Amino acid sequence: MTKQPGMHAPVQVLLIEDNAGDVRLIKEMLHESQMFPCELEYSHSLSGGLELLSNKKFSAVLLDIGLPDGNGLDSIQEVRNLAPNAPIVILTGLDDEEAAVSSLKFGAQDYLVKGQIDSNLLARSLRYARERWQAGEALQKKQHLLQRIADTTPNILFILDIKDHALIYANRELKNTLGYTQDDVRLMGEGIYEKIVHPEDLPYLNMKARAIAKADDNTTIDIELRMKHANGSWLWISGRNVVFSRDGDGRTREILGAARDITEQKKVEEELLKHREYLMELVEERTKELQWSNLSLQAANELLENVFANVHVLIAYMDMDFNFIKVNTKYAEANGSSPEFFIGKNHFDLYPNEENEAIFRNVVETGKSLFVRAKPFTHPYHNEKGTTFWDWSLSPVIDTAGKKLGLILSLIDVTDNIMLYGELMRAEHLASIGRLAAGVAHEINNPINGIINYAQILSNRSEQGSKEKDIAGRIIKESDRIAGIVSSLLSFSRDNKGAKAPVSLREIIDDALALTETQLKKQGIKINLDLPPDLCRIYANKQQIEQILLNMISNARYALKQKYPEDHSDKIINISCANLIKEGVPNVRIIFYDSGAGISQEIIDKITDPFFSTKPEGEGTGLGLSICHGIVMDHNGSLKIESREGEFTRIIIDLPAAGKFTEA
């Protein structure tokens, strides 16, 4: 059959018919009809048809079950074995309702009687059979995906055809709660209500059924009734139902529901009613428990789609090539996008990472789930977010036939936990180093003062310009340097809380810049200040905060000098401040930013350790940032360092504000 403009591509149809006249008639019917474009092949025998099916894929099969070499209805199964994905339409001269019903039970999609059909009826039957078959396959795939999520809820989740009283779907809690399998319920047929619902509750159930039949898509219908357990006992069941699908006329066809066993709860309620006056307190307590249970039930009864969308874990569903099929709201929010942004995009186009891609491919190849703890992640397009840490798992979705359908990626942000753990380790490390530093400093301080005094005596007794005068001067200079290191050690080791009071951060910054202005100008370094007019005061020790600022400016100046030995337009230190609320507490944030030499990721976690320095020997003690970190911690603040080697360094310091935000 030639494809007409605007029509779908023809599908392959196999006709198995021994009557040559009927073959010609059917070919003419399909040729006349424009409803089902197809290319027809035929066989005069069942054996010939089976041979064609074994060598070629067909989209539908027209089968005469009265073939000489056939086995009646068993022929349907023989065709089904070779063409499991092709719908079968029976075409026979036997006008027998019982045979028609049996054919459908054996797996046929339709039953047509020769002589009672025309071209449109034949084409429509083929088209509908194929559409029903495809819809059934799509539903099976969808049900398997949702089953993975549905089985995690403690409630019975089900889909019920209210017209035919047929169970379409139920999770494993049906068996756990009522003792029935899905097949057990399906075999009950249309009389399912009378078989498992308490006779006294049937009028109530019918009333609720009429209510949901009239309900709109946003209305939920709650129901409580008694249902028979497979062992014969009666259980009270509480459920919530919503419209799941409608027929072509807009009438409710299927409902989605969630239910749970409230038998024990009912017993408690009955007991409370018997002793209402005597047990009023207990009634109130049980009522609160019931309200909480109802809230939990309401949350659990939301459509599985809502559960997927609102769970706190970041979840993404991808195909086997790592293309996003669906992500939940939390996953999208973490990227600052909408869920729709991800659909169809490849994970590693958005987040390129060779190591992670190798991990993903290993999960695809082995079919085994993977769990990773506290894996660091740097967003490729949002450097300002810095490095975060994530617990994540990657699991394949596998259908009942063992076929891998896709991958479920779930992530939990554990950055705060990692940071807290790091702060704890750093605090313990600083405490032990501080105790060591105090002992060493005191042991060195006395002899070094003696050396300085003796060297000064030698200098005073030596002739100006003499070798002895020069040597004595060098001894004094180097001893002074040692004394400076000792002073830093003592400052580091002391629990120097200092007096704190509301102070102006603007004044402290001005004082620090006044001390460093000459040296900065000499090296061609500019300062960019961004201080809001309403900058709040901070509750702090002024001298200690000034010590922090001087250290930050000194480190930034050194980094810029390392990258730009000569004058350069980028030799700028940016200092900005802002008021902010942090965990409900007013804070002031100070940010130091320079585009200097930066810090490599290999050492950035050690940068605040005592005696760790990136400067050459003799140019730094390695105590500056350690002391600054200690001062910030003593002020109940936080210090965070972000850097990329060769590009930039950003240091963020948050300090508690002195009261509410007011003009500084």
Side-chain angles (χ1 to χ4, degrees):
M1 180 175 183
T2 305
K3 180 182 177 183
Q4 300 298 323
M7 295 175 60
H8 296 293
V11 298
Q12 302 294 318
V13 178
L14 174 62
L15 170 63
I16 305 178
E17 170 62 62
D18 62 330
N19 188 309
D22 287 342
V23 172
R24 288 194 300 273
L25 179 60
I26 290 169
K27 290 177 67 175
E28 290 175 1
M29 286 182 178
L30 291 176
H31 181 75
E32 290 175 2
S33 175
Q34 303 297 315
M35 296 177 62
F36 189 73
C38 66
E39 294 181 356
L40 185 69
E41 292 192 35
Y42 65 90
S43 171
H44 292 298
S45 64
L46 178 62
S47 59
L50 294 177
E51 183 177 355
L52 283 172
L53 287 171
S54 65
N55 295 317
K56 186 174 180 179
K57 183 177 180 180
F58 289 90
S59 301
V61 177
L62 286 168
L63 174 64
D64 186 349
I65 57 174
L67 296 169
D69 62 340
N71 298 311
L73 294 176
D74 290 339
S75 302
I76 298 174
Q77 188 58 47
E78 293 184 66
V79 171
R80 172 68 58 242
N81 292 338
L82 290 174
N85 297 320
I88 300 171
V89 176
I90 302 302
L91 190 61
T92 179
L94 181 61
D95 186 2
D96 186 333
E97 184 176 350
E98 184 177 346
V101 173
S102 298
S103 297
L104 296 179
K105 288 183 178 180
F106 269 73
Q109 291 291 309
D110 208 347
Y111 186 95
L112 302 178
V113 180
K114 299 176 183 177
Q116 298 182 14
I117 58 173
D118 56 21
S119 59
N120 287 336
L121 177 59
L122 177 60
R124 185 163 54 248
S125 176
L126 281 171
R127 189 183 73 183
Y128 288 172
R130 178 170 169 77
E131 290 175 353
R132 285 195 300 271
W133 187 265
Q134 291 173 336
E137 283 190 323
L139 179 60
Q140 288 180 356
K141 291 180 180 179
K142 181 178 179 181
Q143 286 179 332
H144 178 71
L145 173 61
L146 297 181
Q147 186 72 44
R148 293 289 300 274
I149 304 174
D151 284 340
T152 63
T153 178
N155 301 316
I156 302 172
L157 297 181
F158 63 89
I159 299 174
L160 184 69
D161 187 324
I162 62 172
K163 181 178 180 182
D164 297 335
H165 294 182
L167 182 68
I168 305 300
Y169 162 81
N171 66 350
R172 66 179 63 172
E173 281 302 310
L174 176 66
K175 174 69 174 176
N176 296 338
T177 303
L178 290 171
Y180 301 111
T181 65
Q182 293 188 51
D183 291 338
D184 293 337
V185 176
R186 291 188 181 115
L187 289 175
M188 294 179 187
E190 294 185 2
I192 180 175
Y193 294 164
E194 290 76 11
K195 292 177 182 177
I196 66 173
V197 176
H198 197 284
E200 295 178 2
D201 294 335
L202 284 173
Y204 168 77
L205 175 62
N206 292 330
M207 178 190 70
K208 289 292 185 177
R210 290 192 295 272
I212 199 166
K214 298 177 182 179
D216 58 35
D217 292 344
N218 297 318
T219 300
T220 59
I221 303 295
D222 293 331
I223 188 169
E224 285 186 7
L225 45 69
R226 288 162 287 181
M227 301 186 76
K228 183 183 290 186
H229 191 279
N231 63 15
S233 63
W234 291 100
L235 300 178
W236 274 100
I237 300 297
S238 173
R240 176 161 290 184
N241 307 278
V242 296
V243 175
F244 186 71
S245 69
R246 301 181 182 275
D247 61 19
D249 297 325
R251 293 188 294 266
T252 301
R253 177 74 189 200
E254 296 173 339
I255 61 171
L256 171 66
R260 65 187 180 100
D261 178 5
I262 60 168
T263 305
E264 293 302 318
Q265 177 183 311
K266 280 291 185 181
K267 291 179 181 178
V268 172
E269 290 176 358
E270 290 174 3
E271 189 67 22
L272 289 172
L273 288 174
K274 293 177 184 177
H275 307 280
R276 182 178 182 86
E277 293 182 2
Y278 180 72
L279 300 173
M280 184 59 70
E281 261 185 44
L282 183 58
V283 170
E284 293 177 359
E285 181 182 344
R286 296 299 186 192
T287 301
K288 290 178 181 178
E289 292 178 3
L290 178 60
Q291 290 172 344
W292 175 253
S293 297
N294 287 337
L295 288 174
S296 299
L297 175 63
Q298 182 178 358
N301 288 344
E302 291 294 334
L303 293 174
L304 296 176
E305 190 68 26
N306 289 340
V307 174
F308 177 79
N310 295 305
V311 67
H312 75 283
V313 179
L314 281 64
I315 302 176
Y317 179 56
M318 297 174 282
D319 62 24
M320 301 305 286
D321 294 320
F322 318 129
N323 298 308
F324 287 102
I325 297 174
K326 197 174 191 64
V327 305
N328 69 349
T329 303
K330 293 295 183 184
Y331 192 100
E333 288 176 351
N335 191 65
S337 306
S338 66
E340 292 74 21
F341 166 80
F342 291 88
I343 308 305
K345 293 184 174 62
N346 189 274
H347 181 279
F348 292 106
D349 287 341
L350 297 178
Y351 310 114
N353 186 297
E354 293 182 1
E355 178 187 356
N356 286 348
E357 186 169 359
I359 292 173
F360 277 43
R361 296 198 181 281
N362 184 63
V363 171
V364 170
E365 292 169 3
T366 63
K368 295 180 180 179
S369 299
L370 179 73
F371 299 90
V372 178
R373 302 293 184 190
K375 187 172 182 63
F377 171 75
T378 302
H379 200 294
Y381 310 115
H382 296 283
N383 292 331
E384 73 281 358
K385 294 184 177 181
T387 299
T388 53
F389 296 86
W390 300 82
D391 286 351
W392 59 269
S393 66
L394 184 68
S395 301
V397 177
I398 302 176
D399 64 14
T400 53
K403 181 181 178 182
K404 300 169 189 170
L405 303 178
L407 298 166
I408 294 178
L409 174 65
S410 61
L411 306 100
I412 300 177
D413 188 351
V414 296
T415 304
D416 290 343
N417 294 342
I418 296 298
M419 294 304 179
L420 287 174
Y421 180 77
E423 289 295 337
L424 177 61
M425 293 298 101
R426 182 178 288 108
E428 292 181 356
H429 185 55
L430 289 175
S432 61
I433 294 296
R435 289 190 293 269
L436 175 63
V440 172
H442 284 295
E443 289 298 326
I444 294 175
N445 205 33
N446 290 333
I448 203 64
N449 284 332
I451 292 173
I452 292 173
N453 291 334
Y454 284 123
Q456 187 63 54
I457 292 172
L458 289 174
S459 177
N460 293 339
R461 293 180 178 180
S462 301
E463 294 291 335
Q464 193 69 27
S466 67
K467 183 177 181 181
E468 290 78 4
K469 184 81 170 179
D470 179 59
I471 292 174
R474 292 185 184 185
I475 292 173
I476 293 170
K477 179 182 177 182
E478 292 304 313
S479 297
D480 284 338
R481 191 170 72 85
I482 295 173
I485 294 173
V486 170
S487 176
S488 294
L489 283 172
L490 287 172
S491 175
F492 174 75
S493 64
R494 291 191 191 103
D495 185 14
N496 186 13
K497 303 290 183 183
K500 300 183 181 68
V503 295
S504 169
L505 183 58
R506 188 188 305 274
E507 292 179 4
I508 298 175
I509 293 174
D510 289 341
D511 290 345
L513 292 178
L515 293 173
T516 57
E517 181 180 10
T518 302
Q519 195 171 21
L520 292 173
K521 285 183 178 180
K522 182 179 179 181
Q523 295 180 358
I525 297 174
K526 298 178 181 178
I527 295 289
N528 276 348
L529 277 180
D530 182 10
L531 307 181
D534 62 344
L535 184 62
C536 188
R537 291 175 175 269
I538 59 174
Y539 191 74
N541 180 293
K542 182 176 181 181
Q543 287 72 28
Q544 291 181 340
I545 301 304
E546 184 173 331
Q547 182 180 354
I548 293 175
L549 299 182
L550 290 172
N551 186 272
M552 297 302 162
I553 294 171
S554 175
N555 288 344
R557 177 184 60 78
Y558 182 84
L560 289 169
K561 182 180 177 183
Q562 289 294 105
K563 186 173 180 180
Y564 307 113
E566 305 297 332
D567 288 344
H568 196 280
S569 59
D570 289 337
K571 291 181 76 172
I572 300 172
I573 300 174
N574 294 284
I575 304 174
S576 61
C577 297
N579 300 325
L580 78 155
I581 299 296
K582 186 175 181 181
E583 298 179 356
V585 177
N587 272 250
V588 175
R589 172 165 291 178
I590 316 165
I591 300 177
F592 296 87
Y593 180 91
D594 68 80
S595 55
I599 306 167
S600 71
Q601 294 302 307
E602 288 77 12
I603 65 170
I604 196 167
D605 291 335
K606 305 176 184 177
I607 203 68
T608 57
D609 290 351
F611 304 109
F612 185 89
S613 176
T614 59
K615 298 176 182 177
E617 185 176 354
E619 292 193 34
T621 64
L623 291 171
L625 275 176
S626 295
I627 293 173
C628 290
H629 183 268
I631 293 173
V632 172
M633 294 299 102
D634 177 54
H635 282 72
N636 295 321
S638 64
L639 185 150
K640 181 180 180 182
I641 302 174
E642 300 173 353
S643 185
R644 184 169 296 173
E645 189 172 13
E647 295 185 19
F648 74 92
T649 297
R650 179 187 293 108
I651 298 181
I652 303 169
I653 300 173
D654 292 340
L655 295 170
K660 298 181 180 179
F661 290 143
T662 57
E663 187 75 24

